[in-house]
Amino acid sequence: MELEIGLYDWSALPCRSCPSAAHVPAELLRMARAQNREEARPKAIEYHVLQESWATPTVVPVARVLMAGLADRSISAAARNQFLDLLWSFVIVDDEDLAAQCLDAVRGGIWALYEEILSGDSQGSALLAYWLVKDAETTPARVERLLATARHLLPEDLCEED
């Protein structure tokens, strides 16, 4: 994550609530160290780079950092779930260009999402990862095979059309 964070001039990126997004890297690292759901809440992400479905261009580097974080299996289940939830929020923002760029960031680390699903650690995280894979995967047969292999790791009420 730190490697990815270091690629951006965060003070030049916009924030909805502050003069810049300079505070965002510390928030992402704080979230990555979280051990429970409350600690993992994105306090300086929501209403800063994302408000409901309105986003600033800062969501794109944040998405890349979150994907880098998912590659680290030592991050807690609570933090992983929050990362996935944010990523899902980013790929459905109202700005189609920003959503597409975030989806490209997801594609860049898609195997971390497969690992999240197949790990069996959390059905909630597996579901979020599945939705991201379903939208990001460019080979439909791979998604079909994933569902055939990992159906028992996903919530029972998952509709295959979801």
Side-chain angles (χ1 to χ4, degrees):
M1 275 183 73
E2 290 180 29
L3 181 105
E4 189 67 27
I5 286 171
L7 294 176
Y8 307 99
D9 178 2
W10 296 90
S11 63
L13 293 169
C15 178
R16 297 183 69 82
S17 303
C18 303
S20 78
H23 65 285
V24 171
E27 175 68 357
L28 293 167
L29 292 171
R30 181 197 65 74
M31 290 173 61
R33 289 188 298 270
Q35 295 302 308
N36 61 54
R37 190 158 179 80
E38 182 56 33
E39 290 175 1
R41 278 190 47 242
K43 298 171 188 157
I45 302 294
E46 292 177 339
Y47 302 105
H48 291 263
V49 300
L50 177 72
Q51 183 174 353
E52 296 175 14
S53 62
W54 300 304
T56 70
T58 307
V59 296
V60 177
V62 170
R64 292 177 182 143
V65 170
L66 294 173
M67 287 305 298
L70 289 172
D72 181 352
R73 294 303 298 173
S74 69
I75 290 177
S76 74
R80 299 178 79 69
N81 186 270
Q82 196 59 69
F83 282 17
L84 291 160
D85 190 49
L86 279 173
L87 283 164
W88 178 248
S89 297
F90 293 172
V91 301
I92 60 170
V93 295
D94 287 339
D95 184 313
E96 290 180 15
D97 183 52
L98 291 178
Q101 289 181 63
C102 290
L103 199 56
D104 283 343
V106 168
R107 280 188 191 102
I110 199 162
W111 293 108
L113 300 176
Y114 279 93
E115 169 64 22
E116 192 68 41
I117 297 163
L118 295 167
S119 72
D121 291 342
S122 162
Q123 273 196 348
S125 290
L127 179 61
L128 289 166
Y130 174 75
W131 286 340
L132 287 162
V133 165
K134 192 157 187 220
D135 280 359
E137 181 57 71
T138 57
T139 307
R142 195 172 285 134
V143 177
E144 291 170 20
R145 180 75 179 126
L146 172 66
L147 190 56
T149 302
R151 183 66 189 91
H152 66 287
L153 299 171
L154 295 163
E156 288 181 27
D157 59 351
L158 172 73
C159 295
E160 290 182 29
E161 299 84 48
D162 286 346

